[in-house]
Amino acid sequence: MNKNILILGYGAVGKATVSHLLEKGYSVTVAQRKVPKDLPEGVQFKPCDVLNGASVHDCFVGFDQLVIAIGFEYTVKAWQKQWPTAMHNIVKASVKNGL
């Protein structure tokens, strides 16, 4: 149970996932642009902007597993531009980091 897990995003899904993994005894790090104010004790934080490829790549270094729990605004602009950019960056960084 030595897996070091990165949770990308800390909205409702990210919070529930962090809680579950902590109960199971995993080492958990949350990554997003800003530090969450309600991050549980023992959970690490790494800054990451999923729209910036270098930021995503640097953030993924050293983790065994990745959970994607990001969310964008429900608008046409976000779904046409932000999601494809984020997914491209996440897939590319995952491959480079063996996730």
Side-chain angles (χ1 to χ4, degrees), residues 7-20 28 30 67-70:
I7 310 293
L8 195 56
Y10 195 65
V13 172
K15 288 178 184 180
T17 303
V18 166
S19 177
H20 178 74
V28 179
V30 167
V67 176
I68 302 170
I70 59 174

Side-chain angles (χ1 to χ4, degrees), residues 29-85:
T29 300
V30 167
Q32 61 181 23
R33 287 180 293 158
K34 296 179 183 177
V35 180
K37 294 179 181 176
D38 59 344
L39 203 59
E41 187 175 326
V43 175
Q44 301 297 313
F45 175 78
K46 282 189 92 169
C48 183
D49 179 354
V50 295
L51 300 178
N52 179 303
S55 175
V56 176
H57 179 271
D58 293 345
C59 181
F60 286 14
V61 173
F63 290 94
D64 303 307
Q65 190 170 340
L66 169 67
V67 176
I68 302 170
I70 59 174
F72 289 111
E73 193 176 4
Y74 288 105
T75 65
V76 171
K77 181 180 177 182
W79 283 81
Q80 288 178 334
K81 183 170 172 121
Q82 292 174 323
W83 273 112
T85 300

